[in-house]
């Protein structure tokens, strides 16, 4: 099969086309013919060798967000039938540890991501355990479905599960144009938020943020002290929930506009992971800082149902042919995208 692989970490041009043996599905597995695979920021870091010492299979095939068709069933697998349109769950636990047994998949010590610890979807075929291959409806294109799994799951877990957003609470979503942000604006709106406030670095992205459901937008490139705008928009109260994934660069301003009793939920550190905060302010304001990682299978099923019903909408920035994966990575690095960048596989 054709795949875009890298043999050594480095800049986007380490990604190159290769002919690899088509993977065979083992017992209990399914081979999926990939139609489309979306990029995630994670791909940039894995490709650049910035994910620490965690071992990855080499040469490596990136790609956590796969949409395709069932191509072959391994021994013991009864369905879905060949040709069924599916996505692959982007993350999966071991299935039998205490966390997995309790449905907390992403707390599993063996939790793995497609395209990270196992070979992913920058290829014509990918193999996955049958339990992670999920039939999808035909109301969206393969490109749109590929734009869904990882970020909608993450944003749902952050807002609904970890922050436990209550109806009427105000929410601040950082970076409207990010994969996480473009999903989070919609999920906050769906979950009954009061005001949804979002940030971005350009007027164009802020306009798109409003189309997705944001009531108030703040250009944090022009206003790095965006807490003031958020406080003004909420009558001085601040927001009850903040969805952050930038870290350094937004952290202190986030805490400055978090309402008393508010929850700052973070899943990322695109701008850097080292931040500082004041413990006295933390307890005096009764703030909660909450970490969030991917989500559970039942949450994924829930967001897929909402996408199928048209209650949530995938946000696709643009597509590239699989062979142009280096250009797609450069496009993400340029910070110009709004929503997901998707590779189409022929
Ligand atoms: N823990 C989890 O389960 C999980 C899951 C998904 C993602 N994440 C993390 O969440 C973050 C966002 O991921 P994503 O895939 O949504 O990213 P993305 O689509 O590439 O979006 C990143 C956006 O962040 C904004 N940004 C702010 N400061 C930035 C900086 N210093 N450098 C680059 N961009 C900056 C940019 O928008 P503006 O130009 O408008 O500022 C940029 O477009 C990443 O850190 C990722 O690893 C974590
Ligand atoms: Zn487990």
């Amino acid at each position: 099969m054709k795949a875009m692989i890298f043999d050594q970490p480095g800049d986007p041009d380490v990604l190159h086309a290769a002919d690899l043996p088509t993977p065979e599905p083992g017992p209990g597995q399914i081979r999926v013919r990939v139609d489309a695979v979306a990029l995630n920021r994670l791909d940039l870091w894995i490709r650049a060798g910035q994910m620490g010492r965690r071992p990855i299979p080499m040469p490596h095939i990136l790609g956590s967000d796969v949409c395709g068709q069932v191509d072959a069933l391994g021994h013991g697998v009864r369905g879905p039938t060949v040709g069924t349109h599916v996505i692959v769950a982007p993350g999966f636990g071991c299935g039998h540890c205490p966390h997995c047994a309790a449905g907390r998949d992403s707390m599993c010590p063996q939790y793995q991501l497609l395209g990270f610890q196992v070979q992913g979807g920058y290829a014509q075929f990918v193999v996955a355990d049958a339990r992670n291959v999920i039939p999808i409806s035909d109301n969206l294109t393969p490109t749109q479905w590929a734009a869904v799994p990882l970020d909608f799951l993450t944003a749902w877990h952050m807002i609904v599960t970890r922050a436990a957003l209550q109806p009427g609470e105000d929410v601040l979503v950082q970076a409207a144009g990010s994969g996480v942000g473009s999903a989070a604006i919609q999920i906050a709106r769906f979950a009954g938020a009061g005001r949804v406030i979002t940030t971005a670095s350009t007027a164009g992205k802020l306009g798109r943020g409003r189309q997705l459901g944001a009531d108030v937008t703040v250009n944090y490139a022009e206003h790095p002290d965006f807490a003031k705008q958020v406080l003004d928009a909420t009558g001085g109260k601040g927001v009850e929930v903040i969805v952050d994934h930038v870290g350094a660069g937004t952290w202190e301003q986030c805490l400055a506009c978090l309402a008393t009793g508010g929850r700052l939920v973070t899943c990322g550190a695109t701008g850097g992971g080292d931040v500082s905060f004041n413990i006295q302010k933390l307890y005096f304001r009764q703030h909660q800082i909450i970490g969030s990682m991917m989500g559970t299978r039942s949450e994924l099923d829930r967001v897929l149902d909402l996408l199928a019903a048209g209650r949530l909408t995938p946000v696709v920035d643009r597509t590239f042919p699989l062979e142009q994966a280096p250009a797609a990575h450069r496009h993400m690095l340029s910070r110009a995208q709004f929503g997901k960048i998707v590779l189409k596989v022929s």
Side-chain angles (χ1 to χ4, degrees):
M1 69 171 182
K2 300 257 185 279
M4 289 299 287
I5 65 169
F6 65 91
D7 313 284
Q8 293 293 331
D11 67 18
D13 291 317
V14 297
L15 292 168
H16 65 90
D19 271 313
L20 300 178
T22 299
E24 288 302 326
Q29 291 190 315
I30 290 177
R31 183 169 67 215
V32 174
R33 178 188 294 271
V34 182
D35 290 324
V37 55
L39 269 64
N40 286 285
R41 193 118 207 131
L42 177 69
D43 301 9
L44 305 188
W45 288 321
I46 299 171
R47 186 260 300 143
Q50 293 170 346
M51 290 306 291
R53 291 164 183 265
R54 275 171 276 193
I56 59 172
M58 293 298 267
H60 193 71
I61 310 176
L62 294 165
S64 309
D65 273 328
V66 167
C67 178
Q69 299 164 45
V70 173
D71 185 67
L73 305 179
H75 183 71
V77 181
R78 304 251 272 278
T81 52
V82 170
T84 303
H85 290 260
V86 294
I87 60 119
V88 181
F92 27 86
C94 71
H96 44 75
C97 73
H99 284 299
C100 286
R104 299 185 297 261
D105 319 12
S106 60
M107 292 187 182
C108 172
Q110 310 292 331
Y111 194 72
Q112 294 187 313
L113 288 168
L114 190 65
F116 185 10
Q117 294 93 345
V118 296
Q119 301 286 29
Y122 284 26
Q124 286 180 306
F125 297 96
V126 68
V127 160
D129 288 353
R131 68 188 165 110
N132 297 322
V133 176
I134 310 170
I136 47 170
S137 63
D138 60 4
N139 65 316
L140 300 172
T141 64
T143 296
Q144 290 176 307
W145 273 120
V148 169
L150 194 146
D151 282 330
F152 276 88
L153 172 63
T154 298
W156 183 277
H157 190 63
M158 292 177 85
I159 294 171
V160 177
T161 307
R162 302 292 288 154
L165 178 73
Q166 300 301 303
E169 288 188 322
D170 294 332
V171 180
L172 171 63
V173 174
Q174 296 295 358
S178 61
V180 174
S182 56
I185 292 169
Q186 298 183 63
I187 290 169
R189 189 87 285 157
F190 173 82
R195 301 178 193 86
V196 177
I197 303 172
T198 195
T199 55
S201 64
T202 69
K205 290 187 189 183
L206 294 174
R208 299 281 303 276
R210 280 191 292 277
Q211 288 171 2
L212 290 179
D215 306 293
V216 180
T217 56
V218 183
N219 187 323
Y220 60 5
E222 288 175 4
H223 301 283
D225 54 348
F226 60 82
K228 181 180 179 317
Q229 274 78 4
V230 175
L231 289 167
D232 286 349
T234 54
K237 165 182 71 71
V239 289
E240 281 78 21
V241 171
I242 298 180
V243 174
D244 190 61
H245 47 88
V246 178
T250 51
W251 193 259
E252 290 180 12
Q253 289 293 303
C254 282
L255 288 174
C257 64
L258 189 60
T260 299
R263 290 89 76 203
L264 191 173
V265 57
T266 173
C267 76
T270 308
D274 292 321
V275 297
S276 66
F277 63 89
N278 179 288
I279 292 173
Q280 283 118 337
K281 284 186 186 160
L282 186 81
Y283 66 69
F284 192 69
R285 305 286 308 278
Q286 303 199 49
H287 285 162
Q288 294 181 52
I289 294 171
I290 303 171
S292 192
M293 174 69 196
M294 296 293 286
T296 69
R297 174 55 187 270
S298 62
E299 290 171 314
L300 179 60
D301 290 340
R302 177 81 173 116
V303 293
L304 295 178
D305 284 349
L306 291 169
L307 269 292
R311 305 287 300 273
L312 301 171
T313 308
V315 183
V316 176
D317 171 68
R318 60 179 285 198
T319 64
F320 290 82
L322 175 64
E323 312 76 73
Q324 290 179 22
H329 276 223
R330 279 191 289 270
H331 181 55
M332 183 173 259
L333 282 168
S334 80
R335 207 166 156 167
Q337 83 278 14
F338 189 96
K340 300 294 287 181
I341 302 161
V342 181
L343 302 173
K344 295 182 88 162
V345 184
S346 56

